[in-house]
Amino acid sequence: LKGGIVDFNPCLKHKLIRKTVREFAENEIRPIAAEIDHNARFPEEIMQKMRGLNYFGLQAPREMGGAGLDSISYAIVVEELSRVAAGVGLCITVHNSVAVYPLLQFGTPEQKKRLLPGLISGERIGAFCLTEANAGSDAGGVETLALKQEDGYVINGAKIFVTNGGVCGLALIFAVTDPDKRGRQASVLIVEKEREGFQRGRDRGP
Ligand SMILES: Cc1cc2nc3c(=O)[nH]c(=O)nc-3n(C[C@H](O)[C@H](O)[C@H](O)COP(=O)(O)OP(=O)(O)OC[C@H]3O[C@@H](n4cnc5c(N)ncnc54)[C@H](O)[C@@H]3O)c2cc1C
């Protein structure tokens, strides 16, 4: 606020972030942007550079190895990546917003300790698995079932349109955990790619 008026001008920090990310996107991503879209290829060579530059922990706290960005800076990063390659922007925003963020906000201390370092470093790419053939906007229509067993849950179902689905190391999966309850109680289950029976779809690029 400046004299009671909202100042929409970016501050020096935000200008610097835009400049830095724009340079990265123009120099590193632009040369292959058309090719990765054309071939529906996941650009692992770019991701490797992005891991080193903290793109996988944009809003995670610095003490956890993240970049600790504020929300405006985060939006600028996604905007600048998407300006050059929308798929790369989507990969990064899905990973940060609907994999790292919910774990940071709602994970148990044990889940955070075990799972966040790999996500923040980008060693594991996160995916958010809600949509199904019969459930899109209507999230209450999810048909995937997660039935409780003595030692965990058995999940049965298939998801579609999952960003990072073909390359994810960790998936947050929406499933109905109590089909008899009114409103069919749904939960989000954290599944690492090594879990028995877990199958990723074909890598269709970012
Ligand atoms: C680029 C991209 C990335 C995506 N990434 C993910 C992901 O990472 N994880 C994931 O789970 N999903 C992902 N999705 C899927 C996305 O979340 C769904 O496509 C979305 O929820 C809509 O569902 P649907 O495609 O089944 O369409 P529908 O729900 O069938 O909707 C079709 C049309 O009907 C309209 N409509 C629906 N319900 C109503 C209503 N009650 N009243 C009026 N109109 C209505 C909608 O506005 C739309 O125009 C992604 C989609 C895209 C395009």
Side-chain angles (χ1 to χ4, degrees), residues 90 94 128-131 136-137 160-163:
L90 189 65
V94 163
F128 174 86
C129 311
L130 169 65
T131 309
S137 311
I160 58 170
F161 299 157
V162 173
T163 303

Side-chain angles (χ1 to χ4, degrees), residues 156-185:
N156 261 311
K159 300 288 180 178
I160 58 170
F161 299 157
V162 173
T163 303
N164 299 334
V167 296
C168 68
L170 185 133
L172 302 186
I173 300 180
F174 282 74
V176 172
T177 37
D178 191 346
D180 299 327
K181 229 180 190 160
R182 223 149 63 104
R184 303 168 76 246
Q185 184 172 312

Side-chain angles (χ1 to χ4, degrees), residues 35-171:
E35 180 268 316
I36 59 179
D37 279 355
H38 184 75
N39 294 324
R41 181 175 74 79
F42 189 80
E44 184 48 44
E45 73 277 27
I46 297 294
M47 297 299 156
Q48 200 46 35
K49 290 180 183 165
M50 294 176 86
R51 286 183 181 101
L53 295 169
N54 234 336
Y55 279 92
F56 289 88
L58 289 171
Q59 288 201 279
R62 282 169 193 254
E63 57 273 20
M64 297 180 86
L69 292 187
D70 62 275
S71 296
I72 293 177
S73 302
Y74 173 54
I76 291 170
V77 173
V78 175
E79 196 174 57
E80 287 301 322
L81 293 175
S82 306
R83 179 179 162 272
V84 169
V88 173
L90 189 65
C91 161
I92 293 300
T93 192
V94 163
H95 172 89
N96 280 281
S97 287
V98 288
V100 176
Y101 179 82
L103 257 171
L104 267 171
Q105 289 297 316
F106 308 113
T108 64
E110 187 277 330
Q111 288 166 344
K112 289 184 191 179
K113 194 169 165 219
R114 186 164 56 87
L115 302 171
L116 278 173
L119 282 177
I120 292 170
S121 68
E123 182 198 329
R124 279 179 190 272
I125 296 180
F128 174 86
C129 311
L130 169 65
T131 309
E132 298 177 2
N134 294 317
S137 311
D138 176 18
V142 162
E143 291 171 350
T144 294
L145 279 181
L147 297 180
K148 197 159 175 43
Q149 312 287 305
E150 251 171 42
D151 56 348
Y153 285 85
V154 170
I155 306 175
N156 261 311
K159 300 288 180 178
I160 58 170
F161 299 157
V162 173
T163 303
N164 299 334
V167 296
C168 68
L170 185 133

